[in-house]
Amino acid sequence: MLSETEIHAIDHEVSLVPYKKAAVIEALKIVQQERGWVSDESVEAIADYLEISAAEVDSVATFYNLIFRRPVGRHVILLCDSISCYVMGYQTLYEALQQQLNVKFGETTADKNFTLLPNACLGCCDHAPALMIGEDLYRDVKVEELEGILKKYV
Amino acid sequence: MERPLTKNINQAQPLNLKEYEAVGGYAAVRKVIQGMTPQEVQKVVQDSTLKGRGGAGFNTGMKWSFVPMGPDARHPKYLIANADEMEPGTFKDRLLLEGNPHQLIEGMILSAYAIQADISYIFLRWAYRKAAQLLRKCFAEAYEAGYLGKNILGSGWSLEMYLHTGVGRYICGEETALLNALEGKRATPRAKPPFPQVSGLFGKPTIVNNVETFCCIPHILNNGVEWFKGLSKSEDGGTKIYGVSGKVKRPGAWELPMGVTMRELLEEHAGGMLDGYQFRGALPGGASTDFLTADHLDVKMDFKSVAAAGSRLGTGTMVVLDDATCPVGFVHNLQHFFAQESCGWCTPCREGLPWVEKILLRMEQGRGKTGDIELLEMHSKMLGPGNTFCALAPGAVEPLQSALKYFREDFERHIIEGKCPYHSATEAPKRFSKSMVV
């Protein structure tokens, strides 16, 4: 079931496009914003509401890497693993994050506070290595700064 | 030296509408809407020799000229800014988006007028949160001032502008894949023809241009064709935002005349290599461009000169390979990216790129086999232009084929020595499989 807030937001997106189906990505974003991730039930609810098949909604949901089809922690860490960050040593940050959080890429910490994901180029190559936590961007990150950064989210 | 695109950039506090108007902002909109026909605008932009700054380098005015005009043209027509900056090593549009969002909006209004578009979108990648926030504020100001909305400046022409924030995937930067994403579909590219100018978003005439391209438009219309051409040191008009990243003293982005040399960029602007590191090569325009080496440092960074040297200007943002970084590891990182970002639509790309990544990984881990180099060479041909549905795989093999040419010894040593000469065996990179991603 979609909430009233979700329905209201989806209706607005539908009003901007020529047909309902075109709002499916926006609908997925709205549900994820409200619930943190997109469950099978949500996929079905969106499909019903937009009058398309659940398979079609899921094919879109699974295509895009920032739509989460599994529960994630309260804060998602996106660590840039692209070329400039590779040259500037993102691997050291990854090792430190694995140690401090006891998770690998794709995993969520036991206290469900963080999910750690690799991300393609964040567009801060002149300040590599870079990572995002939620909506916050960190640039020129040094290993010794990680603990302090993570503390802000505990 | 004139720097029209960046002179009013302020990343700490970008200009609001009043401040932007005070430095001449939106003057071009007034001038054009009240005194030029759409065809005249197209002609000026075409004559200015402005080439698309997203990487392909096609004449912008000519691209617009394929949009059907006149009373029989189908509406709504769409104009889209491609702000899905995801080419690894590229960070120039972020500067323009965060530093002076009104400049982009003004450029889009002018371009929309030139093709008589009714609806415009900025397709912004999710990660650019600050840009999203700023653009929303600037949209509101522009609507309030009457530069957007119904009957703009009393002309009878109307334009709506929306922000779409993406949900990931590099392929969204391919213009027809971007259209599918905006239509709420998987972002797989479309067959061309029909070209988007004729049948684009929701089947209607559509123009997609890069952020930097749009930012040039107000300046061309304010100052004229000759002025714009005069900014450049090459036959491609204008300035270019160049960038350098990697182990250099001052990584960054700078607006410079189109056609500065790689050496100028690297030595004067980026300050040269960090102490203790030597330059081995660079991807001149992002991850999908062929390596150039120290022999090419005097190559001018314009479309034609970089092509003549065997690479592409691409986005003009250079990624430097230093002598302490393993070229095989470097190329593996790139191929990991491309394999992951393949949309999966066509077989050579979907199957070929993971194969390439696998071969490079085993080389890097000391398990390379005799024949692997030949296998990689075969892939760079099989995945090259003409064999795939879109330009992703041909772009992916550009750094691979040129690395095999310029750094072949490094590839051979990995196989002969059974290890990466740059790492100890325990440090070899692990494979991050797609299944690890939520």
Side-chain angles (χ1 to χ4, degrees):
Chain A
M1 280 285 284
L2 298 169
S3 72
E4 252 176 62
T5 324
E6 287 165 339
I7 287 176
H8 184 75
I10 294 171
D11 283 346
H12 173 70
E13 295 301 334
V14 168
S15 77
L16 301 177
V17 286
Y19 41 85
K20 275 178 146 181
K21 179 179 150 175
V24 62
I25 294 177
E26 295 301 329
L28 288 162
K29 279 159 67 180
I30 288 161
V31 167
Q32 182 163 297
Q33 177 76 30
E34 289 294 312
R35 303 168 192 236
W37 66 296
V38 180
S39 65
D40 290 352
E41 291 72 23
S42 296
V43 164
E44 279 165 29
I46 291 170
D48 281 348
Y49 197 72
L50 297 178
E51 299 175 321
I52 49 178
S53 74
E56 197 165 356
V57 175
D58 204 19
S59 83
V60 172
T62 53
F63 185 87
Y64 295 97
N65 57 307
L66 294 171
I67 296 293
F68 304 136
R69 285 286 280 113
R70 280 193 261 157
V72 290
R74 278 180 290 276
H75 308 284
V76 175
I77 304 174
L78 299 176
L79 177 63
C80 177
D81 67 351
S82 290
I83 192 64
S84 304
C85 287
Y86 170 83
V87 172
M88 300 309 288
Y90 88 86
Q91 302 88 323
T92 330
L93 291 183
Y94 180 43
E95 277 159 30
L97 283 167
Q98 287 183 75
Q99 277 168 15
Q100 291 180 28
L101 299 174
N102 200 23
V103 287
K104 294 192 175 66
F105 278 145
E107 295 177 352
T108 299
T109 53
D111 61 2
K112 303 206 169 10
N113 200 39
F114 292 109
T115 295
L116 179 60
L117 296 174
N119 201 78
C121 187
L122 289 172
C124 334
C125 319
D126 51 343
H127 293 282
L131 59 88
M132 284 181 83
I133 304 184
E135 302 209 345
D136 307 329
L137 174 67
Y138 294 91
R139 314 184 306 170
D140 296 309
V141 183
K142 292 176 187 64
V143 175
E144 54 274 20
E145 295 168 353
L146 270 181
E147 209 178 329
I149 292 173
L150 293 174
K151 264 199 185 132
K152 294 192 215 168
Y153 299 88
V154 174
Chain B
M1 192 195 309
E2 281 190 272
R3 294 192 164 97
L5 267 59
T6 54
K7 76 172 175 227
N8 293 314
I9 289 246
N10 184 340
Q11 281 182 295
Q13 186 66 51
L15 303 182
N16 64 27
L17 184 104
K18 286 276 160 295
E19 293 160 342
Y20 182 65
E21 284 176 327
V23 295
Y26 290 106
V29 171
R30 291 183 179 278
K31 173 179 159 184
V32 163
I33 288 188
Q34 288 159 358
M36 286 174 85
T37 64
Q39 284 79 3
E40 282 168 345
V41 180
Q42 289 191 14
K43 174 92 174 40
V44 170
V45 173
Q46 190 165 340
D47 291 347
S48 77
T49 67
L50 170 67
K51 286 185 177 171
R53 305 296 198 233
F58 192 76
N59 180 300
T60 303
M62 193 179 291
K63 185 174 187 176
W64 296 354
S65 73
F66 300 121
V67 174
M69 299 294 283
D72 296 335
R74 292 177 308 132
H75 285 266
K77 291 188 208 170
Y78 294 95
L79 180 105
I80 299 163
N82 186 345
D84 191 54
E85 183 166 68
M86 272 189 79
E87 176 77 14
T90 303
F91 49 98
K92 66 181 183 70
D93 294 339
R94 186 195 271 272
L95 178 70
L96 295 167
L97 289 158
E98 292 180 354
N100 193 359
H102 273 299
Q103 176 174 251
L104 169 63
I105 295 171
E106 184 182 12
M108 289 179 69
I109 295 170
L110 293 163
S111 310
Y113 177 79
I115 62 156
Q116 291 289 290
D118 313 273
I119 299 174
S120 54
Y121 284 94
I122 297 180
F123 190 103
L124 181 73
R125 64 174 301 193
W126 178 87
Y128 286 8
R129 305 313 297 162
K130 187 177 162 197
Q133 208 182 1
L134 288 167
L135 284 168
R136 285 199 186 96
K137 191 176 134 264
C138 293
F139 280 1
E141 288 182 326
Y143 269 102
E144 177 74 30
Y147 296 127
L148 283 173
K150 300 262 177 280
N151 191 19
I152 296 170
L153 304 176
S155 64
W157 172 65
S158 303
L159 179 70
E160 301 296 332
M161 193 172 283
Y162 304 114
L163 180 68
H164 174 94
T165 48
V167 271
R169 298 309 294 268
Y170 171 68
I171 195 66
C172 291
E174 200 278 343
E175 68 174 4
T176 60
L178 183 152
L179 298 176
N180 278 339
L182 269 181
E183 289 183 9
K185 298 173 183 160
R186 293 166 75 95
T188 49
R190 297 176 180 177
K192 294 193 260 192
F195 288 89
Q197 289 98 318
V198 177
S199 178
L201 188 64
F202 301 113
K204 295 289 170 38
T206 303
I207 280 290
V208 184
N209 280 132
N210 172 258
V211 168
E212 189 184 347
T213 311
F214 283 129
C215 290
C216 294
I217 304 294
H219 306 290
I220 294 172
L221 291 165
N222 277 328
N223 302 306
V225 164
E226 291 313 314
W227 169 86
F228 188 73
K229 285 186 183 169
L231 293 173
S232 166
K233 289 183 173 176
S234 79
E235 63 180 51
D236 309 321
T239 56
K240 174 80 193 78
I241 300 189
Y242 293 105
V244 179
S245 66
K247 292 203 183 84
V248 293
K249 286 206 177 85
R250 291 190 303 271
W254 312 274
E255 182 182 9
L256 299 167
M258 177 68 93
V260 296
T261 63
M262 275 180 78
R263 188 186 301 282
E264 250 178 286
L265 263 184
L266 194 66
E267 290 174 5
E268 284 176 35
H269 300 283
M273 300 299 290
L274 279 176
D275 292 334
Y277 295 97
Q278 296 284 320
F279 176 87
R280 282 204 75 192
L283 308 174
S288 59
T289 58
D290 281 278
F291 277 100
L292 294 178
T293 65
D295 294 340
H296 301 107
L297 284 174
D298 294 313
V299 168
K300 285 164 75 172
M301 291 279 283
D302 61 64
F303 290 101
K304 211 172 170 178
S305 310
V306 181
S311 184
R312 287 189 306 118
L313 178 63
T315 59
T317 45
M318 189 193 290
V319 187
V320 173
L321 170 69
D322 58 87
D323 63 339
T325 300
C326 171
V328 177
F330 188 103
V331 177
H332 170 259
N333 177 278
L334 297 172
Q335 300 307 323
H336 165 73
F337 167 83
F338 287 114
Q340 172 187 290
E341 297 300 328
S342 168
C343 80
W345 180 261
C346 75
T347 312
C349 179
R350 183 185 63 239
E351 303 296 327
L353 290 174
W355 192 356
V356 167
E357 188 200 346
K358 228 168 156 177
I359 298 166
L360 289 164
L361 183 76
R362 74 171 175 239
M363 278 187 171
E364 208 29 18
Q365 291 178 334
R367 298 179 288 112
K369 300 176 201 164
T370 314
D372 275 355
I373 292 177
E374 291 69 24
L375 207 49
L376 290 172
E377 278 173 336
M378 181 198 84
H379 276 93
S380 36
K381 289 194 182 65
M382 302 290 276
L383 294 171
N387 296 329
T388 58
F389 196 67
C390 83
L392 187 141
V397 296
E398 285 181 28
L400 173 66
Q401 68 190 13
S402 47
L404 289 169
K405 182 162 90 187
Y406 297 126
F407 313 119
R408 197 179 185 91
E409 237 175 79
D410 288 286
F411 285 82
E412 287 166 352
R413 278 187 65 189
H414 278 73
I415 298 175
I416 296 164
E417 296 175 21
K419 68 177 170 71
C420 171
Y422 295 79
H423 307 97
S424 68
T426 52
E427 279 178 302
K430 290 166 193 75
R431 182 161 192 268
F432 309 133
S433 77
K434 233 177 173 176
S435 63
M436 288 185 190
V437 181
V438 171

